[in-house]
Amino acid sequence: MLSYLFIGIFIIAAVFNLIGTQKGREKFGKISKPFLALSLCLYCLFKGLPNPDLLLIAALFACWLGDILINPSDVKWFVAGGAAFFVGHVLYIINFAVKIDFSAFPIAIVVPVAVAYLLISGAVIFTLRKKAPLIMLFALFLYLMSNALTNIFALVLMVNSFGIWHLLSYIGAILFFLSDCALFLLTYVPEKPRFYKSDLFVMSTYIPAILLITIGLTPLF
């Protein structure tokens, strides 16, 4: 039962964080953000006892570190936070990969989907080309590729072993990808307002992303 307490803490933190995306209420976002991934780490720990999913906990801890470090208005902290999230995606990929039966790899599904992620990532980076330095464009593209790979492995697991939990984890992976694309556009091309170029959109996709990935890999029941 203790594990469900941390899901409750996550939901409360999520509500306050979304409130904090509104102008003049930023303090709610700053206070609540550290509790998001951390509460999911503790959920995985207690839900999985006596053998918790340490890979998933490590991935969520990397996301927690990314949440703490990232600051789009400061290049150094933005890179540091991005690096932590990159590690998180590598760990997510491994987590999905160890559950996949590669003898039944759905290549006919994976190839067109992978091309779609590549084209979307390329379009985002192309949009940033006038504002971000070349080395940053390379780093952002590499990061989006790691995010896309998380999506691909989540998709393969869902196809190989279809069920509600694996479906939720793939939906979570999609939302994570959308959140990061929106964050990059918001950071480097803010002068053309769009509904997706806002703190509210970034966090309203990121928050359910990490929740769905988590409960998809460590089901609620």
Side-chain angles (χ1 to χ4, degrees), residues 2 27 40 62 68 73 113 120 133 160 203-204 209 218:
L2 185 58
K27 63 180 180 180
L40 293 180
I68 298 299
S73 62
V113 173
I120 294 170
N160 274 3
M203 294 310 298
S204 63
T218 302

Side-chain angles (χ1 to χ4, degrees), residues 43-84:
Y43 160 76
C44 291
L45 175 63
F46 286 97
K47 182 64 177 176
L49 289 175
N51 298 302
D53 189 337
L54 297 180
L55 267 175
L56 180 55
I57 292 173
L60 287 166
F61 182 80
C63 289
W64 174 80
L65 192 60
D67 282 339
I68 298 299
L69 295 176
I70 200 163
N71 181 358
S73 62
D74 187 302
V75 174
K76 291 181 180 179
W77 289 112
F78 187 67
V79 171

